[in-house]
Structure formats: structure tokens, C-alpha cells
Amino acid sequence: MAKETPLIGCPKVSLWVSIDTHDTDLEADLYEIQPDGTSISLWSDIRRLRYRESLREAKLVKPGEIVKCNFDPGLFVARRLMKGSRLRLVVYSPNSIFWQKNYNSGALWLTKP
């Protein structure tokens, strides 16, 4: 940021992705990286790709197909970003003991939304 900048609102991210399995989980995290390298978490959202269009109806991905995944948790952010700060968007497929394991097989009976 060339100068101190307010960030106010509900961030949204839309990604077009292609995967080589029928399903996966994706997490998107937004950070402020301050001039001294300090990282401040601003926003985070996670999606199971089979529920990208509806939380009620699973729709598996065809391997190699390009699909849209929206991250829109409705979280309100209000922060004054420091002069010299940058925004960092990190997108990854989580593998954590804190989330239900997704084996990416597309077997609908393994998990529910």
C-alpha cells in the first residue's frame, strides 16, 4: 500500500480450478503482510468442492474439468492497512486433525456437508 488504507467490507474470492480427482477441500486465507514481515490474518473460508453450487446437493468434479469455487463466508473485515503493507491470499487443500478427512475419492457416502 502506498499509504495507510482502510479495508472495510466482506471480502469474496472466486477461483477457477481444475483438479485430478472427483472432490477436494480448498481453504482461502487473506493476510495483511506488514513492512516488517508481520502477518495479520484478516479472513478465512473453506469449501468442499462437491458442494460448490449447493450445500444440499453434491456435484462431483470430472477430473480435469475447470470449475468455479466461490469463497464468500460473509465475514465483515474492518482494518486500517499500514503504509507499505501487502495483501497475501493463500489457497490450499487442508489436511488437519481439526477438519473431517476428505479422501478426494468422490464417494458420497463417506462424508456429508
Side-chain angles (χ1 to χ4, degrees), residues 59-94:
K59 183 177 179 184
L60 296 177
V61 177
K62 294 176 189 166
E65 176 184 19
I66 298 172
V67 295
K68 186 177 182 181
C69 182
N70 292 313
F71 296 88
D72 183 9
L75 297 175
F76 187 81
V77 175
R79 179 161 179 85
R80 188 180 315 263
L81 304 175
M82 290 178 62
K83 178 182 177 181
S85 286
R86 303 178 317 263
L87 289 177
R88 176 181 293 157
L89 177 65
V90 179
V91 179
Y92 62 99
S93 186

PDB file of all heavy atoms in Angstrom, residues 59-94:
ATOM      1  N   LYS A  59     -22.238 -32.334  -6.139  1.00  0.00           N
ATOM      2  CA  LYS A  59     -21.978 -32.456  -7.568  1.00  0.00           C
ATOM      3  C   LYS A  59     -20.474 -32.663  -7.725  1.00  0.00           C
ATOM      4  O   LYS A  59     -19.683 -31.730  -7.535  1.00  0.00           O
ATOM      5  CB  LYS A  59     -22.426 -31.204  -8.310  1.00  0.00           C
ATOM      6  CG  LYS A  59     -22.250 -31.298  -9.806  1.00  0.00           C
ATOM      7  CD  LYS A  59     -22.784 -30.058 -10.495  1.00  0.00           C
ATOM      8  CE  LYS A  59     -22.574 -30.159 -11.997  1.00  0.00           C
ATOM      9  NZ  LYS A  59     -22.996 -28.924 -12.657  1.00  0.00           N
ATOM     10  N   LEU A  60     -20.098 -33.897  -8.043  1.00  0.00           N
ATOM     11  CA  LEU A  60     -18.685 -34.220  -8.157  1.00  0.00           C
ATOM     12  C   LEU A  60     -18.052 -33.528  -9.355  1.00  0.00           C
ATOM     13  O   LEU A  60     -18.737 -33.137 -10.302  1.00  0.00           O
ATOM     14  CB  LEU A  60     -18.494 -35.735  -8.271  1.00  0.00           C
ATOM     15  CG  LEU A  60     -18.928 -36.534  -7.043  1.00  0.00           C
ATOM     16  CD1 LEU A  60     -18.758 -38.015  -7.302  1.00  0.00           C
ATOM     17  CD2 LEU A  60     -18.153 -36.106  -5.812  1.00  0.00           C
ATOM     18  N   VAL A  61     -16.750 -33.388  -9.303  1.00  0.00           N
ATOM     19  CA  VAL A  61     -15.972 -32.780 -10.379  1.00  0.00           C
ATOM     20  C   VAL A  61     -15.461 -33.886 -11.292  1.00  0.00           C
ATOM     21  O   VAL A  61     -15.046 -34.942 -10.817  1.00  0.00           O
ATOM     22  CB  VAL A  61     -14.769 -32.002  -9.787  1.00  0.00           C
ATOM     23  CG1 VAL A  61     -13.907 -31.415 -10.883  1.00  0.00           C
ATOM     24  CG2 VAL A  61     -15.248 -30.933  -8.831  1.00  0.00           C
ATOM     25  N   LYS A  62     -15.511 -33.651 -12.586  1.00  0.00           N
ATOM     26  CA  LYS A  62     -14.865 -34.575 -13.517  1.00  0.00           C
ATOM     27  C   LYS A  62     -13.386 -34.215 -13.530  1.00  0.00           C
ATOM     28  O   LYS A  62     -13.046 -33.036 -13.732  1.00  0.00           O
ATOM     29  CB  LYS A  62     -15.450 -34.427 -14.922  1.00  0.00           C
ATOM     30  CG  LYS A  62     -16.886 -34.852 -15.028  1.00  0.00           C
ATOM     31  CD  LYS A  62     -17.415 -34.590 -16.437  1.00  0.00           C
ATOM     32  CE  LYS A  62     -18.915 -34.815 -16.452  1.00  0.00           C
ATOM     33  NZ  LYS A  62     -19.540 -34.286 -17.662  1.00  0.00           N
ATOM     34  N   PRO A  63     -12.486 -35.167 -13.287  1.00  0.00           N
ATOM     35  CA  PRO A  63     -11.061 -34.846 -13.287  1.00  0.00           C
ATOM     36  C   PRO A  63     -10.661 -34.103 -14.556  1.00  0.00           C
ATOM     37  O   PRO A  63     -11.021 -34.482 -15.665  1.00  0.00           O
ATOM     38  CB  PRO A  63     -10.395 -36.222 -13.203  1.00  0.00           C
ATOM     39  CG  PRO A  63     -11.396 -37.050 -12.452  1.00  0.00           C
ATOM     40  CD  PRO A  63     -12.735 -36.580 -12.973  1.00  0.00           C
ATOM     41  N   GLY A  64      -9.947 -32.992 -14.375  1.00  0.00           N
ATOM     42  CA  GLY A  64      -9.514 -32.165 -15.498  1.00  0.00           C
ATOM     43  C   GLY A  64     -10.478 -31.056 -15.865  1.00  0.00           C
ATOM     44  O   GLY A  64     -10.121 -30.122 -16.581  1.00  0.00           O
ATOM     45  N   GLU A  65     -11.725 -31.135 -15.385  1.00  0.00           N
ATOM     46  CA  GLU A  65     -12.730 -30.106 -15.673  1.00  0.00           C
ATOM     47  C   GLU A  65     -12.386 -28.824 -14.908  1.00  0.00           C
ATOM     48  O   GLU A  65     -11.909 -28.876 -13.783  1.00  0.00           O
ATOM     49  CB  GLU A  65     -14.101 -30.625 -15.233  1.00  0.00           C
ATOM     50  CG  GLU A  65     -15.239 -29.650 -15.384  1.00  0.00           C
ATOM     51  CD  GLU A  65     -16.561 -30.195 -14.845  1.00  0.00           C
ATOM     52  OE1 GLU A  65     -16.550 -31.155 -14.046  1.00  0.00           O
ATOM     53  OE2 GLU A  65     -17.591 -29.651 -15.224  1.00  0.00           O
ATOM     54  N   ILE A  66     -12.640 -27.680 -15.515  1.00  0.00           N
ATOM     55  CA  ILE A  66     -12.416 -26.397 -14.853  1.00  0.00           C
ATOM     56  C   ILE A  66     -13.739 -25.964 -14.230  1.00  0.00           C
ATOM     57  O   ILE A  66     -14.754 -25.849 -14.927  1.00  0.00           O
ATOM     58  CB  ILE A  66     -11.904 -25.338 -15.839  1.00  0.00           C
ATOM     59  CG1 ILE A  66     -10.562 -25.779 -16.417  1.00  0.00           C
ATOM     60  CG2 ILE A  66     -11.777 -23.981 -15.157  1.00  0.00           C
ATOM     61  CD1 ILE A  66     -10.059 -24.909 -17.540  1.00  0.00           C
ATOM     62  N   VAL A  67     -13.734 -25.763 -12.898  1.00  0.00           N
ATOM     63  CA  VAL A  67     -14.953 -25.387 -12.184  1.00  0.00           C
ATOM     64  C   VAL A  67     -14.704 -24.123 -11.350  1.00  0.00           C
ATOM     65  O   VAL A  67     -13.576 -23.827 -10.972  1.00  0.00           O
ATOM     66  CB  VAL A  67     -15.457 -26.532 -11.266  1.00  0.00           C
ATOM     67  CG1 VAL A  67     -15.875 -27.737 -12.078  1.00  0.00           C
ATOM     68  CG2 VAL A  67     -14.421 -26.907 -10.230  1.00  0.00           C
ATOM     69  N   LYS A  68     -15.775 -23.413 -11.077  1.00  0.00           N
ATOM     70  CA  LYS A  68     -15.702 -22.190 -10.269  1.00  0.00           C
ATOM     71  C   LYS A  68     -15.972 -22.523  -8.815  1.00  0.00           C
ATOM     72  O   LYS A  68     -16.907 -23.260  -8.501  1.00  0.00           O
ATOM     73  CB  LYS A  68     -16.735 -21.177 -10.774  1.00  0.00           C
ATOM     74  CG  LYS A  68     -16.646 -19.834 -10.098  1.00  0.00           C
ATOM     75  CD  LYS A  68     -17.645 -18.863 -10.714  1.00  0.00           C
ATOM     76  CE  LYS A  68     -17.543 -17.497 -10.095  1.00  0.00           C
ATOM     77  NZ  LYS A  68     -18.527 -16.579 -10.691  1.00  0.00           N
ATOM     78  N   CYS A  69     -15.163 -21.973  -7.940  1.00  0.00           N
ATOM     79  CA  CYS A  69     -15.335 -22.160  -6.495  1.00  0.00           C
ATOM     80  C   CYS A  69     -15.370 -20.778  -5.850  1.00  0.00           C
ATOM     81  O   CYS A  69     -14.410 -20.018  -5.954  1.00  0.00           O
ATOM     82  CB  CYS A  69     -14.184 -22.998  -5.925  1.00  0.00           C
ATOM     83  SG  CYS A  69     -14.361 -23.331  -4.168  1.00  0.00           S
ATOM     84  N   ASN A  70     -16.492 -20.449  -5.206  1.00  0.00           N
ATOM     85  CA  ASN A  70     -16.661 -19.148  -4.556  1.00  0.00           C
ATOM     86  C   ASN A  70     -16.399 -19.260  -3.062  1.00  0.00           C
ATOM     87  O   ASN A  70     -16.908 -20.163  -2.398  1.00  0.00           O
ATOM     88  CB  ASN A  70     -18.079 -18.621  -4.771  1.00  0.00           C
ATOM     89  CG  ASN A  70     -18.338 -18.264  -6.199  1.00  0.00           C
ATOM     90  OD1 ASN A  70     -17.535 -17.603  -6.842  1.00  0.00           O
ATOM     91  ND2 ASN A  70     -19.465 -18.709  -6.723  1.00  0.00           N
ATOM     92  N   PHE A  71     -15.600 -18.341  -2.563  1.00  0.00           N
ATOM     93  CA  PHE A  71     -15.370 -18.209  -1.132  1.00  0.00           C
ATOM     94  C   PHE A  71     -16.060 -16.924  -0.697  1.00  0.00           C
ATOM     95  O   PHE A  71     -15.629 -15.836  -1.071  1.00  0.00           O
ATOM     96  CB  PHE A  71     -13.876 -18.138  -0.820  1.00  0.00           C
ATOM     97  CG  PHE A  71     -13.130 -19.388  -1.181  1.00  0.00           C
ATOM     98  CD1 PHE A  71     -12.601 -19.560  -2.449  1.00  0.00           C
ATOM     99  CD2 PHE A  71     -12.967 -20.397  -0.253  1.00  0.00           C
ATOM    100  CE1 PHE A  71     -11.917 -20.708  -2.785  1.00  0.00           C
ATOM    101  CE2 PHE A  71     -12.282 -21.551  -0.579  1.00  0.00           C
ATOM    102  CZ  PHE A  71     -11.760 -21.710  -1.840  1.00  0.00           C
ATOM    103  N   ASP A  72     -17.134 -17.063   0.048  1.00  0.00           N
ATOM    104  CA  ASP A  72     -17.941 -15.914   0.451  1.00  0.00           C
ATOM    105  C   ASP A  72     -18.554 -16.196   1.817  1.00  0.00           C
ATOM    106  O   ASP A  72     -19.744 -16.462   1.927  1.00  0.00           O
ATOM    107  CB  ASP A  72     -19.037 -15.657  -0.585  1.00  0.00           C
ATOM    108  CG  ASP A  72     -19.877 -14.437  -0.263  1.00  0.00           C
ATOM    109  OD1 ASP A  72     -19.525 -13.683   0.671  1.00  0.00           O
ATOM    110  OD2 ASP A  72     -20.897 -14.249  -0.937  1.00  0.00           O
ATOM    111  N   PRO A  73     -17.738 -16.157   2.883  1.00  0.00           N
ATOM    112  CA  PRO A  73     -18.262 -16.514   4.193  1.00  0.00           C
ATOM    113  C   PRO A  73     -19.116 -15.434   4.844  1.00  0.00           C
ATOM    114  O   PRO A  73     -19.721 -15.657   5.880  1.00  0.00           O
ATOM    115  CB  PRO A  73     -16.995 -16.760   5.022  1.00  0.00           C
ATOM    116  CG  PRO A  73     -15.991 -15.841   4.414  1.00  0.00           C
ATOM    117  CD  PRO A  73     -16.318 -15.837   2.929  1.00  0.00           C
ATOM    118  N   GLY A  74     -19.157 -14.239   4.252  1.00  0.00           N
ATOM    119  CA  GLY A  74     -19.942 -13.156   4.837  1.00  0.00           C
ATOM    120  C   GLY A  74     -19.292 -12.551   6.074  1.00  0.00           C
ATOM    121  O   GLY A  74     -19.960 -11.930   6.877  1.00  0.00           O
ATOM    122  N   LEU A  75     -17.979 -12.744   6.219  1.00  0.00           N
ATOM    123  CA  LEU A  75     -17.265 -12.189   7.367  1.00  0.00           C
ATOM    124  C   LEU A  75     -16.918 -10.728   7.104  1.00  0.00           C
ATOM    125  O   LEU A  75     -16.320 -10.403   6.083  1.00  0.00           O
ATOM    126  CB  LEU A  75     -15.988 -12.983   7.642  1.00  0.00           C
ATOM    127  CG  LEU A  75     -16.187 -14.438   8.019  1.00  0.00           C
ATOM    128  CD1 LEU A  75     -14.843 -15.139   8.134  1.00  0.00           C
ATOM    129  CD2 LEU A  75     -16.958 -14.554   9.309  1.00  0.00           C
ATOM    130  N   PHE A  76     -17.282  -9.872   8.047  1.00  0.00           N
ATOM    131  CA  PHE A  76     -17.012  -8.439   7.915  1.00  0.00           C
ATOM    132  C   PHE A  76     -15.602  -8.143   8.407  1.00  0.00           C
ATOM    133  O   PHE A  76     -15.215  -8.581   9.491  1.00  0.00           O
ATOM    134  CB  PHE A  76     -18.038  -7.632   8.717  1.00  0.00           C
ATOM    135  CG  PHE A  76     -17.922  -6.158   8.503  1.00  0.00           C
ATOM    136  CD1 PHE A  76     -18.494  -5.574   7.390  1.00  0.00           C
ATOM    137  CD2 PHE A  76     -17.240  -5.363   9.402  1.00  0.00           C
ATOM    138  CE1 PHE A  76     -18.399  -4.212   7.173  1.00  0.00           C
ATOM    139  CE2 PHE A  76     -17.140  -3.998   9.198  1.00  0.00           C
ATOM    140  CZ  PHE A  76     -17.709  -3.419   8.088  1.00  0.00           C
ATOM    141  N   VAL A  77     -14.852  -7.420   7.603  1.00  0.00           N
ATOM    142  CA  VAL A  77     -13.486  -7.036   7.945  1.00  0.00           C
ATOM    143  C   VAL A  77     -13.411  -5.513   8.005  1.00  0.00           C
ATOM    144  O   VAL A  77     -13.925  -4.835   7.116  1.00  0.00           O
ATOM    145  CB  VAL A  77     -12.482  -7.549   6.878  1.00  0.00           C
ATOM    146  CG1 VAL A  77     -11.078  -7.049   7.166  1.00  0.00           C
ATOM    147  CG2 VAL A  77     -12.507  -9.059   6.810  1.00  0.00           C
ATOM    148  N   ALA A  78     -12.801  -4.988   9.057  1.00  0.00           N
ATOM    149  CA  ALA A  78     -12.558  -3.552   9.163  1.00  0.00           C
ATOM    150  C   ALA A  78     -11.169  -3.373   9.759  1.00  0.00           C
ATOM    151  O   ALA A  78     -10.931  -3.699  10.920  1.00  0.00           O
ATOM    152  CB  ALA A  78     -13.616  -2.879  10.026  1.00  0.00           C
ATOM    153  N   ARG A  79     -10.252  -2.902   8.936  1.00  0.00           N
ATOM    154  CA  ARG A  79      -8.863  -2.738   9.380  1.00  0.00           C
ATOM    155  C   ARG A  79      -8.211  -1.637   8.565  1.00  0.00           C
ATOM    156  O   ARG A  79      -8.441  -1.496   7.373  1.00  0.00           O
ATOM    157  CB  ARG A  79      -8.091  -4.032   9.193  1.00  0.00           C
ATOM    158  CG  ARG A  79      -6.644  -3.925   9.614  1.00  0.00           C
ATOM    159  CD  ARG A  79      -6.021  -5.254   9.849  1.00  0.00           C
ATOM    160  NE  ARG A  79      -4.640  -5.109  10.219  1.00  0.00           N
ATOM    161  CZ  ARG A  79      -4.184  -4.881  11.435  1.00  0.00           C
ATOM    162  NH1 ARG A  79      -5.044  -4.781  12.435  1.00  0.00           N
ATOM    163  NH2 ARG A  79      -2.901  -4.765  11.684  1.00  0.00           N
ATOM    164  N   ARG A  80      -7.364  -0.874   9.233  1.00  0.00           N
ATOM    165  CA  ARG A  80      -6.564   0.135   8.552  1.00  0.00           C
ATOM    166  C   ARG A  80      -5.223  -0.520   8.227  1.00  0.00           C
ATOM    167  O   ARG A  80      -4.444  -0.832   9.117  1.00  0.00           O
ATOM    168  CB  ARG A  80      -6.364   1.359   9.436  1.00  0.00           C
ATOM    169  CG  ARG A  80      -5.698   2.516   8.719  1.00  0.00           C
ATOM    170  CD  ARG A  80      -5.518   3.717   9.637  1.00  0.00           C
ATOM    171  NE  ARG A  80      -6.706   4.003  10.405  1.00  0.00           N
ATOM    172  CZ  ARG A  80      -7.625   4.914  10.078  1.00  0.00           C
ATOM    173  NH1 ARG A  80      -7.480   5.622   8.980  1.00  0.00           N
ATOM    174  NH2 ARG A  80      -8.676   5.126  10.836  1.00  0.00           N
ATOM    175  N   LEU A  81      -4.986  -0.760   6.930  1.00  0.00           N
ATOM    176  CA  LEU A  81      -3.747  -1.388   6.491  1.00  0.00           C
ATOM    177  C   LEU A  81      -2.613  -0.374   6.550  1.00  0.00           C
ATOM    178  O   LEU A  81      -2.770   0.769   6.110  1.00  0.00           O
ATOM    179  CB  LEU A  81      -3.899  -1.921   5.064  1.00  0.00           C
ATOM    180  CG  LEU A  81      -5.051  -2.907   4.839  1.00  0.00           C
ATOM    181  CD1 LEU A  81      -5.158  -3.265   3.373  1.00  0.00           C
ATOM    182  CD2 LEU A  81      -4.878  -4.143   5.694  1.00  0.00           C
ATOM    183  N   MET A  82      -1.487  -0.784   7.117  1.00  0.00           N
ATOM    184  CA  MET A  82      -0.341   0.108   7.272  1.00  0.00           C
ATOM    185  C   MET A  82       0.262   0.498   5.923  1.00  0.00           C
ATOM    186  O   MET A  82       0.202  -0.268   4.962  1.00  0.00           O
ATOM    187  CB  MET A  82       0.767  -0.581   8.092  1.00  0.00           C
ATOM    188  CG  MET A  82       0.447  -0.773   9.539  1.00  0.00           C
ATOM    189  SD  MET A  82       1.789  -1.657  10.394  1.00  0.00           S
ATOM    190  CE  MET A  82       3.133  -0.521  10.181  1.00  0.00           C
ATOM    191  N   LYS A  83       0.853   1.670   5.881  1.00  0.00           N
ATOM    192  CA  LYS A  83       1.609   2.084   4.696  1.00  0.00           C
ATOM    193  C   LYS A  83       2.726   1.064   4.482  1.00  0.00           C
ATOM    194  O   LYS A  83       3.402   0.659   5.428  1.00  0.00           O
ATOM    195  CB  LYS A  83       2.199   3.471   4.913  1.00  0.00           C
ATOM    196  CG  LYS A  83       3.040   3.957   3.761  1.00  0.00           C
ATOM    197  CD  LYS A  83       3.640   5.321   4.036  1.00  0.00           C
ATOM    198  CE  LYS A  83       4.535   5.721   2.875  1.00  0.00           C
ATOM    199  NZ  LYS A  83       5.159   7.018   3.110  1.00  0.00           N
ATOM    200  N   GLY A  84       2.884   0.609   3.235  1.00  0.00           N
ATOM    201  CA  GLY A  84       3.920  -0.365   2.923  1.00  0.00           C
ATOM    202  C   GLY A  84       3.475  -1.812   3.083  1.00  0.00           C
ATOM    203  O   GLY A  84       4.232  -2.728   2.783  1.00  0.00           O
ATOM    204  N   SER A  85       2.245  -2.024   3.557  1.00  0.00           N
ATOM    205  CA  SER A  85       1.722  -3.388   3.709  1.00  0.00           C
ATOM    206  C   SER A  85       1.319  -3.965   2.355  1.00  0.00           C
ATOM    207  O   SER A  85       1.103  -3.240   1.391  1.00  0.00           O
ATOM    208  CB  SER A  85       0.499  -3.395   4.629  1.00  0.00           C
ATOM    209  OG  SER A  85       0.873  -3.208   5.965  1.00  0.00           O
ATOM    210  N   ARG A  86       1.222  -5.287   2.316  1.00  0.00           N
ATOM    211  CA  ARG A  86       0.732  -6.006   1.134  1.00  0.00           C
ATOM    212  C   ARG A  86      -0.376  -6.942   1.594  1.00  0.00           C
ATOM    213  O   ARG A  86      -0.452  -7.320   2.764  1.00  0.00           O
ATOM    214  CB  ARG A  86       1.857  -6.843   0.518  1.00  0.00           C
ATOM    215  CG  ARG A  86       3.075  -6.074   0.133  1.00  0.00           C
ATOM    216  CD  ARG A  86       4.161  -6.989  -0.425  1.00  0.00           C
ATOM    217  NE  ARG A  86       4.356  -8.221   0.315  1.00  0.00           N
ATOM    218  CZ  ARG A  86       5.287  -8.428   1.253  1.00  0.00           C
ATOM    219  NH1 ARG A  86       6.108  -7.464   1.569  1.00  0.00           N
ATOM    220  NH2 ARG A  86       5.403  -9.592   1.848  1.00  0.00           N
ATOM    221  N   LEU A  87      -1.223  -7.328   0.647  1.00  0.00           N
ATOM    222  CA  LEU A  87      -2.222  -8.364   0.922  1.00  0.00           C
ATOM    223  C   LEU A  87      -1.701  -9.680   0.351  1.00  0.00           C
ATOM    224  O   LEU A  87      -1.140  -9.714  -0.744  1.00  0.00           O
ATOM    225  CB  LEU A  87      -3.567  -8.017   0.285  1.00  0.00           C
ATOM    226  CG  LEU A  87      -4.324  -6.855   0.920  1.00  0.00           C
ATOM    227  CD1 LEU A  87      -5.601  -6.580   0.142  1.00  0.00           C
ATOM    228  CD2 LEU A  87      -4.647  -7.131   2.374  1.00  0.00           C
ATOM    229  N   ARG A  88      -1.888 -10.758   1.108  1.00  0.00           N
ATOM    230  CA  ARG A  88      -1.488 -12.093   0.648  1.00  0.00           C
ATOM    231  C   ARG A  88      -2.707 -12.998   0.702  1.00  0.00           C
ATOM    232  O   ARG A  88      -3.363 -13.107   1.734  1.00  0.00           O
ATOM    233  CB  ARG A  88      -0.394 -12.659   1.534  1.00  0.00           C
ATOM    234  CG  ARG A  88      -0.018 -14.099   1.149  1.00  0.00           C
ATOM    235  CD  ARG A  88       1.058 -14.669   2.035  1.00  0.00           C
ATOM    236  NE  ARG A  88       2.296 -13.947   1.804  1.00  0.00           N
ATOM    237  CZ  ARG A  88       3.293 -13.881   2.687  1.00  0.00           C
ATOM    238  NH1 ARG A  88       3.179 -14.481   3.850  1.00  0.00           N
ATOM    239  NH2 ARG A  88       4.391 -13.220   2.400  1.00  0.00           N
ATOM    240  N   LEU A  89      -3.021 -13.638  -0.430  1.00  0.00           N
ATOM    241  CA  LEU A  89      -4.082 -14.635  -0.498  1.00  0.00           C
ATOM    242  C   LEU A  89      -3.418 -16.001  -0.605  1.00  0.00           C
ATOM    243  O   LEU A  89      -2.620 -16.241  -1.515  1.00  0.00           O
ATOM    244  CB  LEU A  89      -4.987 -14.399  -1.711  1.00  0.00           C
ATOM    245  CG  LEU A  89      -6.090 -15.430  -1.926  1.00  0.00           C
ATOM    246  CD1 LEU A  89      -7.104 -15.392  -0.786  1.00  0.00           C
ATOM    247  CD2 LEU A  89      -6.773 -15.194  -3.270  1.00  0.00           C
ATOM    248  N   VAL A  90      -3.731 -16.883   0.336  1.00  0.00           N
ATOM    249  CA  VAL A  90      -3.171 -18.235   0.352  1.00  0.00           C
ATOM    250  C   VAL A  90      -4.319 -19.212   0.118  1.00  0.00           C
ATOM    251  O   VAL A  90      -5.309 -19.193   0.851  1.00  0.00           O
ATOM    252  CB  VAL A  90      -2.482 -18.541   1.702  1.00  0.00           C
ATOM    253  CG1 VAL A  90      -1.935 -19.957   1.723  1.00  0.00           C
ATOM    254  CG2 VAL A  90      -1.395 -17.520   1.996  1.00  0.00           C
ATOM    255  N   VAL A  91      -4.190 -20.053  -0.908  1.00  0.00           N
ATOM    256  CA  VAL A  91      -5.199 -21.059  -1.218  1.00  0.00           C
ATOM    257  C   VAL A  91      -4.519 -22.422  -1.162  1.00  0.00           C
ATOM    258  O   VAL A  91      -3.466 -22.614  -1.766  1.00  0.00           O
ATOM    259  CB  VAL A  91      -5.813 -20.841  -2.613  1.00  0.00           C
ATOM    260  CG1 VAL A  91      -6.844 -21.914  -2.931  1.00  0.00           C
ATOM    261  CG2 VAL A  91      -6.433 -19.452  -2.711  1.00  0.00           C
ATOM    262  N   TYR A  92      -5.106 -23.338  -0.405  1.00  0.00           N
ATOM    263  CA  TYR A  92      -4.507 -24.665  -0.269  1.00  0.00           C
ATOM    264  C   TYR A  92      -5.574 -25.693   0.063  1.00  0.00           C
ATOM    265  O   TYR A  92      -6.710 -25.353   0.389  1.00  0.00           O
ATOM    266  CB  TYR A  92      -3.400 -24.651   0.790  1.00  0.00           C
ATOM    267  CG  TYR A  92      -3.876 -24.307   2.182  1.00  0.00           C
ATOM    268  CD1 TYR A  92      -4.125 -25.300   3.122  1.00  0.00           C
ATOM    269  CD2 TYR A  92      -4.079 -22.983   2.567  1.00  0.00           C
ATOM    270  CE1 TYR A  92      -4.563 -24.981   4.398  1.00  0.00           C
ATOM    271  CE2 TYR A  92      -4.511 -22.657   3.830  1.00  0.00           C
ATOM    272  CZ  TYR A  92      -4.749 -23.661   4.752  1.00  0.00           C
ATOM    273  OH  TYR A  92      -5.189 -23.336   6.011  1.00  0.00           O
ATOM    274  N   SER A  93      -5.198 -26.949  -0.014  1.00  0.00           N
ATOM    275  CA  SER A  93      -6.085 -28.050   0.353  1.00  0.00           C
ATOM    276  C   SER A  93      -5.668 -28.525   1.742  1.00  0.00           C
ATOM    277  O   SER A  93      -4.590 -29.101   1.904  1.00  0.00           O
ATOM    278  CB  SER A  93      -5.953 -29.185  -0.675  1.00  0.00           C
ATOM    279  OG  SER A  93      -6.899 -30.188  -0.397  1.00  0.00           O
ATOM    280  N   PRO A  94      -6.489 -28.247   2.769  1.00  0.00           N
ATOM    281  CA  PRO A  94      -6.084 -28.548   4.142  1.00  0.00           C
ATOM    282  C   PRO A  94      -6.074 -30.044   4.446  1.00  0.00           C
ATOM    283  O   PRO A  94      -6.879 -30.805   3.922  1.00  0.00           O
ATOM    284  CB  PRO A  94      -7.131 -27.825   4.988  1.00  0.00           C
ATOM    285  CG  PRO A  94      -8.326 -27.737   4.114  1.00  0.00           C
ATOM    286  CD  PRO A  94      -7.807 -27.641   2.705  1.00  0.00           C
TER     287      PRO A  94
END
